[in-house]
């Protein structure tokens, strides 16, 4: 339920605006206090009066109207809300949000929001698939805006495809899930490893791998959102540390090993998303290795398997491993799960399009110790991370399983 929660509902101008009425009504039935902001074009699709009655509050339309109370209305609204929800979110409002434009009441209030923002995109499927819209959505997701849908099916313009707004019931369920999942890991300490370790050969070269770190950073963000005190032990990446997460920078597998071991005893949840180099050069040259006429032979020595070592020592810790494979995915993943003694293993075939290194999406399976398996379709990594955190919370007895 949403008792005690204030939700700001932004309605932008698309045909799906009529569905905003049902969203507002359902949110109120769940106990939320609702405030609606409409764009001028939204008022062409649905009357403000409808939303005023359903939300039981005045509808905000204009930036410079005479205020009923003495406050700066857009700032007051943004501060008062526990979350904002844009239904429908047209290509236009998404573009404005992505570049931070504030030229009307809705875009201004969204720019002032510091809490969770949800958007339910709704537009013609060609507009949805336009690279500009896709880039805007990717940019918003990176800033932790959550997208709900869109769904596929019949569109008002007479075509079929994705771009239809998700149904009001689903939109409200996702908002409720956010508030119920929120803070279920409060009081727990989590540690995530991410990125690809680098093993120096000389002052200018290293042995590395293609891991971008996106998946591990997404897991850290999802754990943090769920209330866990989260530390991110990261090999070098080019991505920003999620808000509230404590970063620990490492370069090599040995440094990562030490950083994890130091914190192991006090940690409740460990997620090893990093791609750790299995070997390092025996000798690191103090000077740049010069080109030779003959072949160059490198001698490599094994690095510790961090996950296997903590798997052997674990007491109360919940352990999640990753398995990136290019063949025999489930067989190799199952072997890793047993060998490393993990509670849950995330397996992905990195050769599939839309999966693995550098991609913002992934295609994974969750493997559980009792033999159960969940195969996920292609999803944004942050959504996979949230599902993973949900499963962790369920297995730790901190959240109920959704049926
Ligand atoms: N891992 C680790 N330390 C290592 C190697 C891997 O902690 N030295 C962890 C990874 O973080 C991941 C899991 O073990 O959670 C599996 O990593 P992966 O590279 O897929 O497997 P490996 O054990 O290295 O086996 P292989 O390279 O033969 O596939």
């Amino acid at each position: 339920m949403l008792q005690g929660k204030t939700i700001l509902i932004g309605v932008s101008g698309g045909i799906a605006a009529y569905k905003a009425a049902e969203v507002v009504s359902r949110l109120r039935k769940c106990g939320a206090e609702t405030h609606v902001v409409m764009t001028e074009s939204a008022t062409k699709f649905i009357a403000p009066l409808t939303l005023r009655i359903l939300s039981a509050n005045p509808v905000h339309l204009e930036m410079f109207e005479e205020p009923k109370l003495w406050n700066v209305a857009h700032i007051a609204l943004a501060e008062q809300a526990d979350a904002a929800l844009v239904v429908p979110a047209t290509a236009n409002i998404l573009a404005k949000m992505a570049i931070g434009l504030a030229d009307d009441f809705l875009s201004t209030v969204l720019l002032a929001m510091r809490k969770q923002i949800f958007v339910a995109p709704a537009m013609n499927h060609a507009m949805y698939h336009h690279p500009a819209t896709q880039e805007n959505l990717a940019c918003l997701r990176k800033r932790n805006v959550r997208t709900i849908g869109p769904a596929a099916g019949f569109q008002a313009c007479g075509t079929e495809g994705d771009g239809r707004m998700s149904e009001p019931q689903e939109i409200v369920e996702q908002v409720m899930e956010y508030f119920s999942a929120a803070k279920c890991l409060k009081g727990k300490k989590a540690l995530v490893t991410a990125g690809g370790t680098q093993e120096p050969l000389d002052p200018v070269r290293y042995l590395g791998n293609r891991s971008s770190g996106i998946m591990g950073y997404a897991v850290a963000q999802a754990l943090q959102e769920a209330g866990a005190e989260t530390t991110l032990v990261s090999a070098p990446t080019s991505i920003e540390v999620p808000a509230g997460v404590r970063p620990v920078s490492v370069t090599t597998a040995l440094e990562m090993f030490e950083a994890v071991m130091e914190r192991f005893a006090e940690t409740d949840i460990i997620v090893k998303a990093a791609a750790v180099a299995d070997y390092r050069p025996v000798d690191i040259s103090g000077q740049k290795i010069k080109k030779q006429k003959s072949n160059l032979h490198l001698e490599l020595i094994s690095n510790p398997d961090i996950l296997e070592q903590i798997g052997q020592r674990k007491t109360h810790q919940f352990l999640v491993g990753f398995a990136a494979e290019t063949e025999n995915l489930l067989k190799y993943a199952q072997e890793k799960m047993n060998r490393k003694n993990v509670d849950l293993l995330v397996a992905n075939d990195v050769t599939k399009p839309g999966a693995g290194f550098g991609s913002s999406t992934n295609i994974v399976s969750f493997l559980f110790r009792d033999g159960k398996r969940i195969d996920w379709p292609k999803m944004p990594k942050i959504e996979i991370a949230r599902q993973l955190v949900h499963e962790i919370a369920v297995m730790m007895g901190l959240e109920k399983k959704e049926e």
Side-chain angles (χ1 to χ4, degrees), residues 148-160:
I148 305 177
F154 179 76
Q155 297 208 286
C157 50
T159 56
E160 292 266 336

Side-chain angles (χ1 to χ4, degrees), residues 183-210:
K183 319 304 169 225
C184 64
L185 296 181
K186 202 170 167 61
K188 299 289 172 202
K189 288 193 171 155
L191 184 145
V192 180
T193 68
T197 60
Q198 299 179 351
E199 307 299 330
L201 279 168
D202 69 13
V204 295
R205 304 180 180 96
Y206 61 82
L207 296 177
N209 61 69
R210 294 184 193 280

Side-chain angles (χ1 to χ4, degrees), residues 164-184:
R164 252 176 89 87
M165 193 170 94
S166 293
E167 290 307 317
Q169 182 180 349
E170 200 205 321
I171 293 172
V172 172
E173 272 168 12
Q174 292 215 25
V175 174
M176 287 180 61
E177 194 184 303
Y178 165 76
F179 282 110
S180 67
K183 319 304 169 225
C184 64

Side-chain angles (χ1 to χ4, degrees), residues 193 253 272-278 303-308 320-325 336 339-340 345:
T193 68
K272 291 247 34 274
V276 186
D278 291 328
N303 273 327
D305 189 316
I306 310 169
L307 187 54
E308 196 169 325
V320 180
F322 274 70
E325 306 292 349
K336 274 180 198 168
R339 178 160 46 90
K340 305 198 186 202
L345 191 117

Side-chain angles (χ1 to χ4, degrees), residues 2 71-72 74 84 206 220 234 319 344 357 369 378 394:
L2 295 170
N71 58 25
V72 182
H74 61 281
Y206 61 82
S234 177
L319 213 53
L344 200 166
F357 303 134
R369 289 210 74 89
K378 184 163 91 178
V394 169

Side-chain angles (χ1 to χ4, degrees), residues 237-313:
T237 68
S238 56
I239 36 183
E240 239 177 80
V241 176
V245 169
R246 297 175 188 184
V248 176
S249 298
V250 296
T251 303
T252 64
L254 281 180
E255 286 170 12
M256 185 172 277
F257 177 67
E258 277 163 28
V260 172
M261 286 309 174
E262 244 172 61
R263 295 164 178 84
F264 171 66
E266 66 193 35
T267 304
D268 304 297
I269 301 161
I270 302 180
V271 182
K272 291 247 34 274
V276 186
D278 291 328
Y279 299 94
R280 65 180 183 279
V282 171
D283 298 309
I284 304 174
S285 169
Q287 301 300 330
K288 187 180 173 201
I289 301 170
K290 300 307 286 178
K291 208 174 359 236
Q292 298 163 18
K293 290 244 152 54
S294 56
N295 290 346
L296 175 69
H297 294 278
L298 292 176
E299 197 184 344
L300 304 175
I301 180 173
S302 284
N303 273 327
D305 189 316
I306 310 169
L307 187 54
E308 196 169 325
Q309 298 232 9
I310 53 182
Q312 284 163 6
R313 289 171 212 195

